[in-house]
Amino acid sequence: MTLSDIEFPTPSEDADCRPVREILDRIADKWSLYIFVALKDGPVRFNALRRQIDGISQRMLTITLRQLERDGLISRTHFPTIPPRVDYELTAVGRSLLAPVMALVTWADSNRDVIEQARRQHDQTR
Amino acid sequence: MTLSDIEFPTPSEDADCRPVREILDRIADKWSLYIFVALKDGPVRFNALRRQIDGISQRMLTITLRQLERDGLISRTHFPTIPPRVDYELTAVGRSLLAPVMALVTWADSNRDVIEQARRQHDQTR
DNA sequence: CCGAATCCTCTTGGATACTG
DNA sequence: CAGTATCCAAGAGGATTCGG
């Protein structure tokens, strides 16, 4: 499949399009991207994730991890030690998503100056 | 720059990281992605965009277009005809973002079956 | 046709306190 | 350490109405 095969919604393809939107909406929520990046080098424990992702609350970390687990993108390993330990890790499918995600992150990093300048220019023009 | 150069937040890099997050949050909002895809083949008029992006309200289309314009990712051309006509188009910077975005869309399209199966399996297990 | 403005709803998400 | 439960505020976003 090539990029040009992906056509958004001529009405007839609309039904096919919905699952894709569901997936994109999940990926594009507030925290999923950052969890992905945080897990890119291997398993990470719950509180380590929490420290690594600046500003995320315990609640949202839990919720987002559960959703990603449900989608089969990350796996959860519970060690019944005392104190308990839980590792989160990308699955094979999750790792296959890492390339596009990192491409986005790389783009954002490369273009932040351009964008900030565009904003300043826009704000002072009006 | 390679992918491995992008490290998320060792505390010392935290300040550098914030602009990147701002940009990602913009890209990853509910509608920006779809506007990008809709504009990938050239200029599109306001109401054509509205029809093309299923479910978007006039309000959110306007707001999202304004934000993307402020970031220098799309341009707006107003033809003072009657009735008026306004074309939206990706800028050069915007087009450079198209590749990573389409990679994501392609991934979502290729993996929707896998994800839906993972969801069903997860939901029936518990 | 292309919006701006208002109103109102519902989701998102933070703060806090409590369990195993 | 790794959660769960509850409460509450802020903002996203839809519906509708009006203007150029």
Side-chain angles (χ1 to χ4, degrees), chain A residues 3 8-9 16 19 21-23 25 28 31 34 37 52 54 70-71 96 106-107 109 112 116 119 123, chain B residues 1 3 8-9 16 19 21-23 25 28 34 37 52 54 70-71 96 106-107 112 116 119 123:
Chain A
L3 290 185
F8 258 77
D16 276 43
R21 294 206 19 186
E22 261 180 55
I23 296 173
D25 287 347
W31 298 111
Y34 304 109
V37 176
Q52 207 167 140
D54 191 64
R70 175 171 180 259
D71 290 347
S96 77
T106 303
W107 186 94
D109 190 56
R112 60 185 180 192
E116 282 179 32
R119 285 180 187 170
D123 291 348
Chain B
M1 161 178 291
L3 291 183
F8 258 77
D16 276 44
R21 294 208 17 189
E22 261 179 55
I23 295 172
D25 287 347
Y34 304 110
V37 176
Q52 208 168 136
D54 192 64
R70 175 172 181 259
D71 290 348
S96 77
T106 304
W107 185 95
R112 61 185 180 192
E116 281 181 31
R119 284 181 188 171
D123 292 348

Side-chain angles (χ1 to χ4, degrees), chain A residues 55-68:
Chain A
I56 195 170
S57 66
Q58 190 179 42
R59 171 186 149 91
M60 290 315 297
L61 181 55
T62 302
I63 290 177
T64 311
L65 285 170
R66 293 285 177 278
Q67 290 173 335
L68 293 174

Side-chain angles (χ1 to χ4, degrees), chain A residues 12-58:
Chain A
S12 63
E13 292 170 351
D14 222 344
D16 276 43
C17 192
R18 203 161 310 148
V20 176
R21 294 206 19 186
E22 261 180 55
I23 296 173
L24 287 177
D25 287 347
R26 170 65 37 84
I27 297 168
D29 74 2
K30 189 172 179 181
W31 298 111
S32 295
L33 271 182
Y34 304 109
I35 292 181
F36 259 85
V37 176
L39 292 179
K40 74 185 173 61
D41 293 321
V44 182
R45 301 180 61 170
F46 185 86
N47 275 342
L49 274 176
R50 203 177 158 190
R51 281 187 299 271
Q52 207 167 140
I53 302 172
D54 191 64
I56 195 170
S57 66
Q58 190 179 42

